[in-house]
Amino acid sequence: MTYELFGRLADRYDWHTPPHHYQHDHAFVLSQLPTPPCRILDVGCGTGVFLEKAVSAGFDATGTDASPEMMSLASRRVSPARVRVERMQELSESASYDGIVSLSWSFNYVS
């Protein structure tokens, strides 16, 4: 199943879920991670809102998402080198990170 909000309409995702929507969750997660500049992986990073906050806080953060359209938007928030299209079922580098996060119901879309 394809969700248009994650594909063709990805540029409207932040209208649906504004960047400030999960600000308290983001702050909590950042406070629970090892001290920056540790390496973290944001699985299902979407448009990169949390990823941008992590990078701004000094973390060496990388994001993955199955949607090329979402990754295009995330690469504008951080840098293209920090994002990659990858399904969470196919993660290949989990052992090389100090922390792995997955926010905003990402696991609900695994099929």
Side-chain angles (χ1 to χ4, degrees):
M1 172 184 273
T2 301
Y3 294 94
E4 294 296 319
L5 192 57
F6 304 146
R8 184 176 64 83
L9 301 175
D11 62 332
R12 299 179 188 178
Y13 183 84
D14 286 339
W15 297 353
H16 174 267
T17 306
H20 69 277
H21 188 77
Y22 291 107
Q23 65 186 342
H24 301 295
D25 295 338
H26 293 169
F28 173 75
V29 171
L30 289 172
S31 76
Q32 299 303 301
L33 292 168
T35 306
C38 74
R39 293 190 72 217
I40 62 169
L41 177 65
D42 183 3
V43 179
C45 72
T47 63
V49 172
F50 176 79
L51 188 60
E52 180 180 41
K53 289 178 184 178
V55 170
S56 293
F59 291 93
D60 181 6
T62 301
T64 67
D65 200 285
S67 167
E69 294 86 355
M70 296 293 252
M71 290 293 75
S72 175
L73 296 167
S75 72
R76 294 179 205 161
R77 286 195 193 299
V78 290
S79 75
R82 291 194 175 275
V83 299
R84 67 179 183 267
V85 176
E86 186 173 33
R87 295 177 65 223
M88 64 178 67
Q89 301 92 317
E90 298 164 355
L91 288 175
S92 58
E93 298 183 79
S94 62
S96 64
Y97 292 91
D98 301 303
I100 298 175
V101 300
S102 184
L103 305 171
S104 304
W105 302 92
S106 297
F107 282 102
N108 289 333
Y109 298 100
V110 174
S111 58

